[in-house]
Amino acid sequence: MKILQFSMLLPPLVLAALLSFPMEASPHKDFLQCLSLSSNDSTSISNVIYTRNSSSYSSVLESRIRNLRFNSTDTPKPLVIVTPSRTSHFQATIYCARKHGLQIRIRSGGHDYEGLSYVAKVPFVVVDLVNFRSVDVDAENRVAWVQAGAILGEVYYRIAEKSRTLAFAGGIYYTIGVGGYISGGGFGSLFRKYGTAGDNVIDAQFIDVNGRILDRKSMGEDLFWAIRGGGGGSFGIVLAWKLTLVPVPATVTAFTVSRTLEQNATQLILQWQDIAHQLPDEMNPGVSMFSVNSTQDGRKTILASFNSLFLGTIDELLPIMQQRFPELGLSRQDCSEMSWIESILYFNQIQNQPLEILLNRTFRNPVGGQYYKIKSDYVKEPISETALNGLFSRLSDEEASSAIIIFMAYGGIMDRIPEDATPFPHRAGNLYKIYYNVNWPEEENVNAQKYIDWARRVYSYMTPFVSKFPREAYANYRDLDIGSNNVEYTSYAQAKIWGRKYFRNNFNRLVQVKTKIDPENFFKHEQSVPPFLYNVEKEN
Ligand SMILES: Cc1cc2nc3c(=O)[nH]c(=O)nc-3n(C[C@H](O)[C@H](O)[C@H](O)COP(=O)(O)OP(=O)(O)OC[C@H]3O[C@@H](n4cnc5c(N)ncnc54)[C@H](O)[C@@H]3O)c2cc1C
Ligand SMILES: *[C@@H]1O[C@H](CO)[C@@H](O)[C@H](O)[C@H]1NC(C)=O
Ligand SMILES: *[C@@H]1O[C@H](CO)[C@@H](O)[C@H](O)[C@H]1NC(C)=O
Ligand SMILES: *[C@@H]1O[C@H](CO)[C@@H](O)[C@H](O)[C@H]1NC(C)=O
Ligand SMILES: *[C@@H]1O[C@H](CO)[C@@H](O)[C@H](O)[C@H]1NC(C)=O
Ligand SMILES: *[C@@H]1O[C@H](CO)[C@@H](O)[C@H](O)[C@H]1NC(C)=O
Ligand SMILES: *[C@@H]1O[C@H](CO)[C@@H](O)[C@H](O)[C@H]1NC(C)=O
């Protein structure tokens, strides 16, 4: 509108000069100036701003790039990174970014599988919560206030300091940030007993597009519902969560049993499909599959690694497995007893390390390498031996030499929590989820497309065997391939394609919440929930 008024007054050449200069050169300087004006000495924001000229810009940016696929020189980089240390810094950043037309990306742990917390195709600012990570455990009342920039390992460690028989229903990989993790649902070794991480949140501190600080009471139940599984980066910034802590026995058991194809892995997986989802809630059965060279003849085979946590002792576990799944032949030697927090180390394959490693934010991926592409599926009917053999044959492809496919059993309490309790909809009726991970070493990153194509081929191959209408996917396993969503700003119609996969019938309610809390769609990324009737035209 302003441009229109100008153009009536000024000759075209002057207009062109006016438009080209300010529009290209300055939003970022204006933004920085706006930030400096908005703070005062006692709350100085200058210490937490990194421009491309700052000597620590690269180290701050790279320290939470967890998928090195997005660490290349041609990956778009933020104009500015802000690491707020006070609530007022968030308010100033939101205010100034809106005023000067910059997009913001919110980053907690940086594990987004498509890098959306630190990559955008438009001029953008990263708001990194690394300085917002206090963990305050109240063991007596079994609750904890946890700031969104804390990693899961910090949460577990602080709980264990107070009690070894309390836990949080979170994931194994301890460098994950609670900000993104809980926003997308969050499952871990306790999810068949206690539900998703989002199911275990009872309050939150949240900042909206107008800079208002809200808690559960002031935000209302619709928004509180949406932020516990509706996906990060859509509604505003979560500053902190109040978590319910859950009881775990002092002694738990972890086991791993590995079998090759020659050792009947195929038959065992076929049986596992019928058995695993009915095992006690105290277990989280999974089976990981990958290609290995046979120790006998050096030829390629598939190794299937059956594992689980069990909330109890070996003596309690063995008779259950003997009765329910004797073919697996679980023996005492396959099992180890430990405390719950030690089981986090066990499943990260670092069981001999001190617990303090959980405070170490240096990323080490126990599943494959650091350049990767992942996908997910939900399975409601057991798949056939033929289907499984086709999957194994693809796992034997050259591109899949370090790929891993994991089946994770559903059932337990997941069957008893209603589909609309939180936005996370994958509840009753699922036998298991499939996680596909293809990864490659640094020197192969020039050939990344070859590996990504492999993942797409496998996904296409699996179509007949997995959930349909919609083909469901897990929001925290972000995948920009699903739906026609690879555009900068998604319209409602485009978003509905992936929205129904991630959220099923909960998607519409998420859109309603978004329409109310952020109608102008300030908080957005390639797969953020759009407000109703929002579309590309409106953007211009
Ligand atoms: C190695 C690895 C293992 C994993 N294992 C599991 C697992 O066991 N279980 C599981 O459920 N998931 C798992 N995931 C997926 C993980 O839960 C998601 O990637 C999650 O979103 C990561 O959260 P983050 O804060 O680390 O990531 P980020 O990249 O910081 O954030 C992810 C998304 O949430 C948004 N966001 C971040 N912080 C906030 C905030 N404070 N407020 C609002 N929005 C925010 C971001 O903008 C982005 O869109 C794994 C991922 C990796 C890489
Ligand atoms: C600076 O900001 C703080 C926190 O918002 C406020 O309490 C204080 O009065 C401000 N000081 C000045 C000089 O504006
Ligand atoms: C960065 O440095 C360059 C060259 O020294 C300078 O021209 C530019 O204005 C600086 N940018 C900012 C944002 O400080
Ligand atoms: C990320 O890229 C930068 C710049 O190329 C490089 O210096 C750094 O080592 C990379 N990080 C990792 C972990 O490889
Ligand atoms: C594989 O299964 C068959 C029959 O189901 C059984 O006879 C055989 O002993 C099993 N092999 C191994 C290595 O367990
Ligand atoms: C498996 O065998 C192939 C071909 O013999 C070889 O190139 C590869 O390095 C081996 N892989 C492992 C993990 O030993
Ligand atoms: C954190 O882990 C990394 C990688 O394992 C290691 O190099 C580093 O020394 C550790 N830092 C601390 C403080 O222990």
Side-chain angles (χ1 to χ4, degrees), residues 129-199:
L129 279 85
V130 64
N131 291 324
F132 248 68
R133 57 195 238 212
S134 71
V135 176
D136 189 3
V137 175
D138 176 353
E140 215 165 296
N141 293 306
R142 296 186 177 182
V143 293
W145 267 108
V146 173
Q147 287 185 321
I151 60 172
L152 287 172
E154 289 168 329
V155 177
Y156 302 152
Y157 185 88
R158 298 299 167 208
I159 295 171
E161 275 182 331
K162 300 251 168 97
S163 166
R164 293 288 172 106
T165 54
L166 285 177
F168 173 62
I172 303 288
Y173 304 112
Y174 58 89
T175 55
I176 294 175
V178 297
Y181 178 77
I182 298 179
S183 295
F187 78 90
S189 63
L190 299 172
F191 91 116
R192 294 180 72 257
K193 175 80 177 170
Y194 294 116
T196 65
D199 297 333

Side-chain angles (χ1 to χ4, degrees), residues 75 162 214 387 414 447:
T75 306
K162 300 251 168 97
L214 305 172
M414 296 305 283
N447 298 318

Side-chain angles (χ1 to χ4, degrees), residues 19 60 103 156 162 266 318 411 440 519 529:
L19 287 183
V60 172
Q103 198 173 102
Y156 302 152
K162 300 251 168 97
T266 309
L318 287 176
W440 52 93
V529 174

Side-chain angles (χ1 to χ4, degrees), residues 33-54:
Q33 187 171 16
C34 174
L35 281 187
S36 67
L37 290 175
S38 68
S39 73
N40 61 37
D41 285 349
S42 73
T43 64
S44 179
I45 197 169
S46 59
N47 301 331
V48 295
I49 296 175
Y50 303 86
T51 67
R52 288 175 183 173
N53 284 358
S54 317

Side-chain angles (χ1 to χ4, degrees), residues 478-500:
R478 194 178 315 280
D479 180 1
L480 289 182
D481 292 345
I482 60 171
S484 59
N485 56 351
N486 227 339
V487 290
E488 277 160 26
Y489 304 112
T490 39
S491 69
Y492 173 74
Q494 288 165 326
K496 211 170 143 186
I497 300 172
W498 52 258
R500 298 250 308 135

Side-chain angles (χ1 to χ4, degrees), residues 258-482:
S258 298
R259 298 281 184 266
T260 61
L261 294 184
E262 293 69 31
Q263 295 167 325
N264 286 350
T266 309
Q267 286 308 315
L268 290 173
I269 294 169
L270 292 171
Q271 289 164 343
W272 181 95
Q273 294 187 98
D274 296 324
I275 296 167
H277 67 105
Q278 303 193 62
L279 285 169
D281 298 4
E282 287 70 27
M283 297 180 70
N284 71 323
V287 48
S288 310
M289 297 151 232
F290 40 90
S291 165
V292 293
N293 294 339
S294 159
T295 48
Q296 261 115 58
D297 54 13
R299 286 174 46 189
K300 269 192 184 176
T301 183
I302 301 294
L303 190 71
S305 178
F306 298 82
N307 57 64
S308 183
L309 175 73
F310 172 66
L311 296 175
T313 61
I314 297 179
D315 287 338
E316 289 163 328
L317 173 65
L318 287 176
I320 297 172
M321 292 301 282
Q322 183 51 39
Q323 193 206 344
R324 307 271 193 104
F325 198 2
E327 297 83 358
L328 185 63
L330 181 72
S331 72
R332 192 169 286 275
Q333 291 71 45
D334 304 319
C335 302
S336 314
E337 286 183 341
M338 60 196 80
S339 65
W340 182 78
I341 193 166
E342 287 164 346
S343 77
I344 298 293
L345 302 187
Y346 175 94
F347 288 109
N348 278 285
Q349 297 168 30
I350 47 171
Q351 53 266 54
N352 299 321
Q353 300 281 335
L355 289 181
E356 281 66 28
I357 196 168
L358 297 173
L359 304 173
N360 186 333
R361 294 175 155 242
T362 305
F363 181 63
R364 44 173 303 291
N365 192 352
V367 183
Q370 302 207 21
Y371 298 78
Y372 45 88
K373 168 73 192 160
I374 67 112
K375 290 180 170 291
S376 62
D377 261 320
Y378 282 89
V379 178
K380 300 182 193 258
E381 305 282 345
I383 70 177
S384 67
E385 181 167 357
T386 318
L388 203 53
N389 285 337
L391 188 59
F392 291 159
S393 113
R394 284 159 181 80
L395 256 183
S396 308
D397 290 344
E398 180 217 337
E399 301 91 314
S401 61
S402 54
I404 181 162
I405 291 177
I406 308 178
F407 292 178
M408 304 180 201
Y410 266 57
I413 201 177
M414 296 305 283
D415 283 348
R416 303 189 294 273
I417 297 178
E419 183 175 324
D420 60 0
T422 73
F424 180 96
H426 321 286
R427 307 277 188 175
N430 290 297
L431 301 180
Y432 57 95
K433 176 179 67 193
I434 306 181
Y435 168 82
Y436 310 88
N437 175 318
V438 63
N439 59 85
W440 52 93
E442 182 177 1
E443 63 275 14
E444 271 296 295
N445 201 37
V446 287
N447 298 318
Q449 196 57 45
K450 182 174 88 177
Y451 297 91
I452 295 170
D453 287 345
W454 178 87
R456 291 178 180 157
R457 280 202 309 279
V458 172
Y459 192 71
S460 165
Y461 165 75
M462 290 300 286
T463 309
F465 315 124
V466 298
S467 63
K468 298 178 185 64
F469 315 117
R471 182 174 185 175
E472 294 173 35
Y474 175 32
N476 260 344
Y477 288 175
R478 194 178 315 280
D479 180 1
L480 289 182
D481 292 345
I482 60 171

